[in-house]
Amino acid sequence: MCLYGQGVSRGYAIGRVVVMGAAALEVAHYRIAPESVQSEKNRLIQALQATQQEMQEMADNLPDDAPRELAALLTVHRMLLSDPLISDETLSLIEDKHYNAEWALTTQGQLLGEQFAAMDDEYLRERGSDVRQVIERVLVLLSGSKTALRLDHESDSDELLIVVAHDISPADMIRLRGARFAGFATDLGGSTSHTAIVARSMGVPAVVALGHIRALVRDGDRIIVDGANGTVLVNPSEVALQEYRRLQQDFIDERAELLLLKDVEAETLDGMKITLHANIELPDEAELALENGASGIGLFRSEFLFMGRADLPSEEEQYLAYSTAVKAMKGLPVTIRTLDIGADKTLDGEATVATNPALGLRAIRFCLANPELFATQLRAILRASVHGPVRILIPMVSHMHEVIATRAAIASARQELDAKGQSYAEHIELGAMVEVPAIAIAIEPFAAALDFLSIGTNDLIQYTLAIDRADNEVSTLYDPLHPAVLRLIANTINAGVRFGKSVSVCGEMAGDAHLTRLLLGLGLTEFSMHPQQLLDVKREIRNAHSNALRNKVAQALNRAHAVDPSSLYH
Ligand code: PEP
Ligand code: MG
């Protein structure tokens, strides 16, 4: 049997299944007697406190080699756990409706899950899984059992273990580190889900969004996780096993070879020097960027600091986060993108219904409509600039007046800092994301007015092709190779050359090594991507001939149909 999902961490794992339980699916539902309300509430409060304590202990005792994302994810989970949306609302359900604690908790969890699911931004939408995972931990403690995970098969066989789950929480990830596991396969998740983030940072193959794998396999089944193709083979034939063992060895050899490229130049065969930057969501990821040879941070998605909490991060808290990344990069540039939050999600977690969220009050539109919030963020970014070169990147720009208003907001943030005697770097570059087709078409005034441009292909594709990037039903039409998309990218790159401004691509296209030659052929000299993708892309660059690619791509662009990237290899 072959199951199809989304490969989120490359590599191949062959091993025996360990099914991880999903506590939320198995809880009892009953009403309690009025006189038991207080003791039921106490039971919940104790479980919440015990979960907090468990997570605190886990964070305090993180092994030195634990992926750095885990510490941050545990912080998010602890914050969620103390959020009144979880505790107060659940207590009210016990009080008002006399639900037992487990029922109240799953009911509230479902409500929050629906609110997150309605969010437009893929990253924020996937934070709904944090709520579910936190709730599952509390349910496990309510049920009196120590863990939702069984590793009974560990001692039965010498084969490696592969975890199959509905979803995997960071807390379970920590437990799994000690066990002999080789891969992950989950029903839920997407490319920015925790399973994906952590699996990538551990270098463990993973396939998510498999639908019903948890129901389809049993403990002890042999499976192959193909993280490259996003498939899982259940009880494969001997021929398939042999083939995958070969692929596995090739992959291991290839990674070892790639690491040798860390300190070599990203330069094409004909001498074109390429800048390779990293995308990060957490300040700690700067270390990972350096380990993979990044020469700067091309995109720091600052919205992570604002999510999963009831209040806004203070100027101090933001300053600490930005300056941590800047210091870690030791003098290399750090591009901090101002808050990119969507119209359907308010910061306190309450969903509002926008007519069309993707076209609503999001990103820079939202920040300009909330000047206090924007000023706080800008002051924090400016203050971080004393620790190293900082660049400010504006998301979702569609009008020149937004650039002018942002410059004015930066100027008044400087004045506020002057008044308090706080310092900042004199010159900070200002750039815009090119992700709205309008500015990619009429790019000249933006190329003239700004210091740099960064093409956000994820949104540029969505808006150019009128395809919701998060809607599975139209995902086959989400085509990075559509000639219209490529022409918009080319137009932006060419304007950068004419105006002497740097242009990078920081959307997913930049980290896809199959598209490296195409982007080089479009004239791109700056790429920004997840740190784990940097060396793959660097290898492609070092084997490519930039001038020859430019000629080929220029010819292909004039044709009406999509460009075939494989044609650029011969
Ligand atoms: C993009 O749109 O390509 C981008 C990099 O921004 P995000 O994915 O955060 O919207
Ligand atoms: Mg975007």
Side-chain angles (χ1 to χ4, degrees):
M1 175 168 58
C2 183
L3 301 171
Y4 297 87
Q6 188 183 357
V8 291
S9 182
R10 283 183 56 210
Y12 309 93
I14 304 170
R16 299 279 176 187
V17 166
V18 175
V19 178
M20 204 165 102
L25 305 177
E26 291 145 17
V27 301
H29 291 52
Y30 54 91
R31 278 185 206 276
I32 46 165
E35 60 274 19
S36 305
V37 163
Q38 195 49 51
S39 64
E40 192 67 3
K41 282 167 73 175
N42 289 343
R43 201 163 74 82
L44 177 70
I45 291 166
Q46 275 160 15
L48 288 169
Q49 285 168 347
T51 313
Q52 269 290 4
Q53 198 183 337
E54 188 192 61
M55 286 187 181
Q56 181 66 55
E57 277 166 18
M58 220 172 253
D60 292 344
N61 296 311
L62 270 183
D64 289 344
D65 62 340
R68 52 184 57 83
E69 286 86 352
L70 284 178
L73 299 179
L74 279 172
T75 308
V76 172
H77 280 200
R78 292 212 309 279
M79 278 173 353
L80 279 173
L81 203 55
S82 50
D83 194 304
L85 275 173
I86 292 186
S87 51
D88 292 6
E89 298 296 320
T90 308
L91 288 169
S92 305
L93 284 172
I94 300 176
E95 172 104 37
D96 302 341
K97 301 201 170 169
H98 295 184
Y99 286 2
N100 67 316
E102 288 88 345
W103 187 5
L105 197 56
T106 45
T107 304
Q108 181 59 14
Q110 220 162 3
L111 190 81
L112 291 173
E114 279 161 16
Q115 287 175 0
F116 273 93
M119 290 178 176
D120 174 48
D121 185 289
E122 186 189 355
Y123 187 86
L124 289 178
R125 207 170 39 243
E126 285 183 3
R127 299 293 67 80
S129 65
D130 291 272
V131 175
R132 194 184 53 255
Q133 289 166 359
V134 161
I135 285 178
E136 288 211 353
R137 281 311 302 158
V138 184
L139 287 171
V140 167
L141 288 180
L142 271 174
S143 76
S145 120
K146 223 24 208 157
T147 172
L149 174 69
R150 289 172 295 127
L151 286 172
D152 315 340
H153 281 261
E154 200 178 357
S155 55
D156 292 358
S157 129
D158 281 342
E159 271 191 85
L160 295 169
L161 299 173
I162 294 177
V163 176
V164 172
H166 193 53
D167 203 3
I168 304 175
S169 72
D172 278 329
M173 277 293 211
I174 291 173
R175 285 186 198 91
L176 289 165
R177 285 185 65 75
R180 296 169 298 157
F181 66 92
F184 302 113
T186 60
D187 290 344
L188 302 183
S191 60
T192 60
S193 66
H194 286 138
T195 317
I197 294 171
V198 179
R200 272 199 294 269
S201 77
M202 291 166 132
V204 173
V207 178
V208 301
L210 284 154
H212 296 102
I213 185 164
R214 185 177 171 269
L216 292 171
V217 299
R218 300 272 168 277
D219 276 351
D221 277 349
R222 178 181 279 148
I223 60 170
I224 296 173
V225 173
D226 179 342
N229 288 316
T231 50
V232 173
L233 273 73
V234 182
N235 295 324
S237 67
E238 196 49 44
V239 177
L241 271 174
Q242 269 175 23
E243 173 63 7
Y244 270 97
R245 285 195 185 111
R246 192 183 59 73
L247 286 169
Q248 208 174 26
Q249 193 51 51
D250 289 353
F251 185 76
I252 292 167
D253 296 346
E254 189 194 318
R255 297 311 299 175
E257 217 170 285
L258 266 186
L259 266 180
L260 301 174
L261 293 180
K262 183 189 159 236
D263 296 316
V264 304
E265 286 266 14
E267 188 176 341
T268 61
L269 292 172
D270 52 336
M272 172 69 74
K273 288 207 175 14
I274 305 295
T275 303
L276 292 183
H277 282 172
N279 294 353
I280 60 170
E281 272 107 36
L282 300 162
D284 297 3
E285 282 175 324
E287 298 276 342
L288 194 63
L290 287 177
E291 281 163 24
N292 284 280
S295 57
I297 301 298
L299 172 65
F300 180 166
R301 289 181 163 102
S302 67
E303 46 277 8
F304 181 86
L305 300 169
F306 291 73
M307 286 164 358
R309 54 192 293 163
D311 58 348
L312 291 171
S314 66
E315 181 183 321
E316 274 322 296
E317 190 183 337
Q318 290 189 58
Y319 163 70
L320 187 68
Y322 305 143
S323 53
T324 300
V326 174
K327 285 179 195 166
M329 290 306 289
K330 303 184 181 87
L332 295 171
V334 175
T335 311
I336 303 174
R337 185 172 71 181
T338 57
L339 182 63
D340 183 2
I341 205 116
D344 62 331
K345 63 245 178 194
T346 56
L347 288 168
D348 58 7
E350 279 171 31
T352 56
V353 181
T355 317
N356 191 335
L359 306 180
L361 191 67
R362 55 174 299 196
I364 189 60
R365 305 170 184 181
F366 179 86
C367 287
L368 292 173
N370 291 276
E372 274 296 307
L373 172 149
F374 199 27
T376 306
Q377 178 170 44
L378 291 173
R379 286 195 303 272
I381 297 175
L382 288 173
R383 285 174 55 198
S385 69
V386 297
H387 302 291
V390 164
R391 312 197 300 170
I392 298 178
L393 178 59
I394 327 172
M396 284 284 297
V397 169
S398 52
H399 288 272
M400 187 49 80
H401 59 72
E402 291 162 336
V403 175
I404 295 166
T406 302
R407 274 205 196 282
I410 294 172
S412 54
R414 284 178 192 273
Q415 282 170 5
E416 284 160 16
L417 292 178
D418 288 342
K420 286 190 269 179
Q422 284 174 313
S423 42
Y424 50 83
E426 229 10 82
H427 181 68
I428 294 182
E429 291 193 355
L430 181 67
M433 295 281 292
V434 178
E435 45 189 354
V436 176
I439 85 157
I441 294 168
I443 190 69
E444 286 74 12
F446 296 92
L450 289 153
D451 300 310
F452 67 99
L453 299 167
S454 189
I455 307 175
T457 46
N458 307 341
D459 277 313
L460 186 63
I461 297 165
Q462 144 161 289
Y463 292 124
T464 305
L465 302 181
I467 296 300
D468 186 336
R469 69 192 251 193
D471 186 343
N472 282 342
E473 297 202 56
V474 286
S475 61
T476 51
L477 300 173
Y478 186 89
D479 180 12
L481 303 176
H482 193 293
V485 172
L486 299 184
R487 284 182 202 178
L488 292 178
I489 295 174
N491 201 39
T492 307
I493 294 171
N494 294 340
V497 173
R498 286 200 307 281
F499 286 83
K501 303 293 168 67
S502 86
V503 174
S504 73
V505 168
C506 65
E508 291 302 302
M509 278 179 85
D512 184 343
H514 298 110
L515 301 181
T516 304
R517 286 176 183 238
L518 174 63
L519 291 172
L520 288 171
L522 288 167
L524 190 73
T525 55
E526 205 173 308
F527 295 60
S528 192
M529 66 202 76
H530 187 278
Q532 299 278 15
Q533 298 165 323
L534 282 162
L535 295 175
D536 267 320
V537 169
K538 191 190 273 190
R539 181 177 50 189
E540 280 298 324
I541 290 168
R542 289 174 58 82
N543 288 327
H545 196 287
S546 138
N547 264 329
L549 286 169
R550 285 185 194 211
N551 289 336
K552 276 193 185 177
V553 171
Q555 284 168 21
L557 268 192
N558 288 329
R559 292 184 218 121
H561 48 77
V563 178
D564 174 7
S566 62
S567 70
L568 303 173
Y569 283 83
H570 33 76

